[in-house]
Amino acid sequence: MKETLESALNFLGKNMEAIIAICALFVAWVTYKSSQKHNYLSVKPIGYILPKDFEDNICVILQNKGTGPLITKSIKYVNELTGEEKKHLIDFMPVLLDQETWSNFSKAQKYILAPNEDKILLEYNRNIKSHFSERNQMAIREALKDIKIIITYSGVYNDKIDVLDFKLKWYGRHFE
C-alpha cells in the first residue's frame, strides 16, 4: 500500500504540469458551455399581440417584448367561427362606409422586429366628422372578435421555433 502511494505521489510530482493543463482545459470547456447558454438566453424574443380598442382608434399591433430580434417564419389569420384562413388581417375586414380609409395595415408575411419594436398589422382612426364612423368601428370590432392570429417566429440562433397563438376576442366585449 505504501509503495502504491509513493508511486502515485511520484507520478503526480513528475506530471503536475500536464494535470494542471487538463484541469484548466476542463474548466475552460465548462465556462464556454455556460457562456454559450447565457448568450442564447440573453437574446430571446418574446412575441405579443397588443389589441387596442379606443373610442377614436382600433389597432392590432405585433410587439417584441424580448431581449433579442424576433424573426417571423409564418403568419396566418383564422376566423374561428367559419374556419376560414387568410394571409392578411385586412382581408377579413369589412368595406368601410362613407369612403373612409384605413389608417394603416400590413400585407407583409415576414418581419424582423428589434427588442421593444412594434409593427402595426391593422389600424383604423375614427373620423369624428363622419356619421358612418361609429358604424365602421362596430363592423371592424365584429370582424376582429372571431379572428385568431398564429405567428411562428424564432430568434437569431434560429434553433427553436416559438408559436404565438392569440385570439382577438377582446373586441367582442361590445357585443355581450
Side-chain angles (χ1 to χ4, degrees):
M1 177 80 174
K2 184 178 178 183
E3 192 174 290
T4 307
L5 183 59
E6 285 177 10
S7 175
L9 288 173
N10 189 25
F11 175 80
L12 286 174
K14 291 180 182 177
N15 298 302
M16 190 57 75
E17 290 176 2
I19 292 169
I20 291 172
I22 290 170
C23 290
L25 185 62
F26 177 74
V27 169
W29 181 81
V30 169
T31 302
Y32 167 74
K33 287 309 231 181
S34 175
S35 176
Q36 190 178 33
K37 182 177 181 183
H38 169 75
N39 290 344
Y40 173 81
L41 293 174
S42 66
V43 292
K44 181 168 176 36
I46 300 172
Y48 180 72
I49 298 291
L50 176 63
K52 294 172 103 179
D53 187 6
F54 299 110
E55 187 176 314
D56 60 347
N57 176 266
I58 295 174
C59 193
V60 180
I61 302 171
L62 170 61
Q63 297 181 319
N64 180 4
K65 297 286 192 182
T67 55
L70 182 145
I71 304 164
T72 62
K73 301 297 182 187
S74 69
I75 302 174
K76 67 180 174 179
Y77 305 93
V78 179
N79 183 311
E80 291 196 296
L81 290 181
T82 66
E84 186 178 10
E85 186 178 310
K86 297 197 178 191
K87 288 185 176 183
H88 311 110
L89 186 55
I90 190 74
D91 294 339
F92 278 114
M93 294 301 105
V95 174
L96 299 177
L97 303 173
D98 198 31
Q99 298 179 339
E100 287 195 338
T101 59
W102 294 95
S103 304
N104 197 348
F105 65 88
S106 176
K107 284 196 167 192
Q109 283 292 293
K110 304 284 183 179
Y111 301 108
I112 298 175
L113 279 82
N116 298 313
E117 187 176 1
D118 296 347
K119 177 61 182 164
I120 294 173
L121 302 176
L122 180 79
E123 182 175 30
Y124 171 76
N125 288 317
R126 183 175 175 188
N127 179 358
I128 303 299
K129 295 177 183 176
S130 169
H131 60 279
F132 289 106
S133 210
E134 190 172 337
R135 277 202 249 169
N136 283 335
Q137 276 186 301
M138 292 309 284
I140 294 166
R141 290 174 178 136
E142 178 73 32
L144 286 173
K145 72 180 179 59
D146 299 321
I147 304 297
K148 176 169 67 168
I149 302 173
I150 303 167
I151 300 175
T152 58
Y153 65 93
S154 71
V156 291
Y157 287 110
N158 215 12
D159 59 345
K160 183 175 184 273
I161 302 294
D162 289 305
V163 178
L164 172 60
D165 187 325
F166 193 90
K167 297 177 182 179
L168 296 175
K169 62 185 177 186
W170 170 250
Y171 297 101
R173 72 191 191 287
H174 297 279
F175 304 99
E176 296 173 350

